[in-house]
Every structure is written in structure tokens, then in C-alpha cells.
Amino acid sequence: MNINELTAGADLYIDIERGGKLFTLKGKLLDIKNNKLDIGIVFEKAGEVRDIKETDNLYIRHIKMKKVFRFRVFSTTKKVDKNVGIFYEFDVSFQGEYFNRREAYRVCIGKEAEQASFLNGVKINDFYIKDLSILGVGFVSTRLIEVGEYIQFIFRDTCLLKLYIKVVRRENLGDKYGYGAIITKYEGDLNRYVYMKQVEEIKKMG
């Protein structure tokens, strides 16, 4: 589904990856403007999460006809309105990913790459992996990288993965850049790794 299928008043869930933990908050859609969702969020007084931070890895979830769709969040702005109080504006992907489509479903990572470089061997010292699927990866870096560049990086978690990617999207995030890339080749059991991370996230969501 895409964001134009959402309507004001819809129940949404905000998945927050922070410090290696996954938190979920419930929200109500207030308005939609140019791929931006205005959402009022309920923060539990006794909960660990009292605000949304710039460093959080975020997704917006919506359930439609018993199917779950997730929208990637590129940036978040905290706002105040005299009528509704505090709310958040989320700049999100136009298309939501169907939760059970394993190949496209991205799992939260939130780790620095062990090594990253261009194919000519020039190193990229700042390479923070936000999310990963069997098809692509989202990462953040202070380095300006041109769309179309090919990169290779090594990532170690429960296993060792070496991925070769092509940058297909770049977004200016102020003092850094957000990138989207497709995976052209990989070494290691990427399929099993993504599947196990997805199982972990499903368990955390209850």
C-alpha cells in the first residue's frame, strides 16, 4: 500500500530501534502532506521511551485487512500545535512494504560496518548501517557519495557478511547523508541472517 491509502484517524505503530532494543509506540494519524505524516503519539509515563531521538532507527507500521505494512522513516520533526499539542512529522517512503514479503522486508541493524570502501580501495571510515534486506541496504555517512557508486563493506553480527552494493538514492540529513543501495553480490549466509533478524523483530512486537 502507499501513504495515500492512509486516512486521518488511522491507528499507526512506531517501531523504534535504539541501543540494540526495539520499542513500539502507538500513534494516531493527524494529517498527510507530501509524503509526510503528522502523528500524535502516546508515550507511557512509566515507559523507557519518552521522546524520539535523531539517532533512532524508525519505521511506521499500519495494519490493513489483517496485513501489516511498514513505511521507512527518513527524518522526524517534533512540532507543537495549539489545538492538538505536541505531535511528530515523519518524512516517510511513499510505498509501504508488506511485512511478510521476506525479500523486501528490511530489518533494523544500527551498527557501524567493520570495513567499507569503494571498489578502487579508497576507504569509507564513516559507514553506519541502518537497515538491511536480501535486496538492499540503508546506511548513513558524513561522506558525500555519488548515486551510481559501487561500494563493498564487511559487517559482523551473529555471522560475517561481505556485501557489494550500488548506491541508488541519497538524501541530505544536515551534517550527514542517508543512502539507499541495492545489493549486487554478497558473501556469507545473508538469507539466513535476515530471516533470523526478522524472527527476532516479530517476537519483540508480540
Side-chain angles (χ1 to χ4, degrees), residues 4-58:
N4 289 334
E5 296 177 63
L6 297 173
T7 56
D11 289 326
L12 300 173
Y13 298 88
I14 298 88
D15 293 331
I16 303 172
E17 172 79 12
R18 179 186 297 175
K21 296 181 180 180
L22 182 67
F23 304 94
T24 299
L25 300 175
K26 189 173 181 179
K28 190 76 74 173
L29 180 60
L30 304 175
D31 197 8
I32 305 173
K33 304 172 188 172
N34 301 321
N35 281 29
K36 294 183 179 180
L37 306 179
D38 291 346
I39 302 176
I41 301 175
V42 178
F43 292 97
E44 295 182 10
K45 291 183 178 180
E48 289 187 55
V49 178
R50 306 291 183 87
D51 202 350
I52 292 177
K53 301 178 180 180
E54 184 183 343
T55 53
D56 289 337
N57 197 24
L58 304 170

Side-chain angles (χ1 to χ4, degrees), residues 28-161:
K28 190 76 74 173
L29 180 60
L30 304 175
D31 197 8
I32 305 173
K33 304 172 188 172
N34 301 321
N35 281 29
K36 294 183 179 180
L37 306 179
D38 291 346
I39 302 176
I41 301 175
V42 178
F43 292 97
E44 295 182 10
K45 291 183 178 180
E48 289 187 55
V49 178
R50 306 291 183 87
D51 202 350
I52 292 177
K53 301 178 180 180
E54 184 183 343
T55 53
D56 289 337
N57 197 24
L58 304 170
Y59 283 92
I60 304 294
R61 272 190 297 130
H62 177 63
I63 301 173
K64 181 181 180 181
M65 302 293 289
K66 297 184 179 181
K67 293 183 178 180
V68 181
F69 296 87
R70 291 209 325 178
F71 297 87
R72 291 189 65 197
V73 175
F74 301 120
S75 63
T76 308
T77 305
K78 186 176 182 178
K79 295 192 171 185
V80 179
D81 180 270
K82 63 180 181 180
N83 296 316
V84 300
I86 296 174
F87 67 95
Y88 290 80
E89 180 184 81
F90 295 88
D91 185 0
V92 303
S93 57
F94 176 74
Q95 194 70 36
E97 296 178 341
Y98 177 43
F99 185 85
N100 288 325
R101 199 177 70 197
R102 247 187 71 213
E103 290 189 352
Y105 176 74
R106 292 182 179 239
V107 293
C108 299
I109 302 298
K111 292 179 179 286
E112 288 281 345
E114 193 167 297
Q115 296 177 26
S117 66
F118 297 103
L119 295 190
N120 62 7
V122 175
K123 291 184 179 180
I124 304 171
N125 295 320
D126 177 20
F127 194 98
Y128 180 81
I129 306 163
K130 286 190 67 178
D131 50 59
L132 177 68
S133 75
I134 295 170
L135 301 179
V137 60
F139 68 96
V140 174
S141 178
T142 55
R143 180 159 189 160
L144 178 63
I145 302 170
E146 296 297 330
V147 171
E149 283 278 11
Y150 287 86
I151 294 170
Q152 58 189 4
F153 70 91
I154 294 175
F155 166 59
R156 190 188 302 271
D157 190 2
T158 55
C159 64
L160 182 67
L161 297 171

